[in-house]
Amino acid sequence: MSVIIDDTCITCDACLQNCPVNAIVDDMHNPTGESRYYVQPEKCVECVGIYDDPQCAAICPSIGCITWDMPFTPEFEEHFLNEELYKLGEKNGKLKTPSFRKKKYRTDIGQELRGVGKEVQEEPDENEVG
């Protein structure tokens, strides 16, 4: 996974309905027990090879609610084993960690923008609005 839905989520269903890989679960199915939508890190591919931008952020009315996370790759295994933020799925009793199966991610998003709350979608600057 490389996106996180933060606590400003208004649970409107927009992202849930637009995720092409069904990586998002609603607040009632959030495995961490939090009352917000949750992106399953072992499923999210940042829409790589499907769309130009992550569709969850493109449709989200709460601009800034969805932020970049670390790539779901073996070098970030420890990051995703943090049980407070993530509850990874299992297959045959084995956790679906990045070592189990790494996921595609946007290589054009630098590491300095990941895991630090950098918004996937930002509100347009007033000077840019035509």
Side-chain angles (χ1 to χ4, degrees), residues 22-95:
N22 298 315
I24 302 171
V25 296
D26 66 22
D27 53 334
M28 292 179 16
H29 295 95
N30 183 333
T32 67
E34 293 189 46
S35 183
R36 66 177 181 209
Y37 285 23
Y38 175 80
V39 181
Q40 299 171 82
E42 66 274 18
K43 287 187 174 183
C44 180
V45 294
E46 296 182 2
C47 293
V48 170
I50 305 169
Y51 294 104
D52 291 337
D53 295 306
Q55 293 301 286
C56 55
I59 195 73
C60 182
S62 299
I63 294 176
C65 167
I66 300 174
T67 60
W68 292 109
D69 196 5
M70 305 312 284
F72 198 74
T73 58
E75 57 265 43
F76 296 105
E77 183 106 0
E78 287 301 315
H79 175 74
F80 290 101
L81 287 173
N82 175 350
E83 291 196 30
E84 289 181 31
L85 285 177
Y86 311 102
K87 295 288 184 192
L88 300 177
E90 291 186 18
K91 184 171 185 174
N92 300 326
K94 183 172 177 165
L95 280 179

Side-chain angles (χ1 to χ4, degrees), residues 2 4 6 64 66-70 79 85-86 109-120:
S2 293
I4 293 175
D6 73 18
I66 300 174
T67 60
W68 292 109
D69 196 5
M70 305 312 284
H79 175 74
L85 285 177
Y86 311 102
I109 304 300
Q111 297 300 332
E112 70 279 0
L113 301 178
R114 294 180 175 275
V116 295
K118 177 67 176 162
E119 297 147 353
V120 174

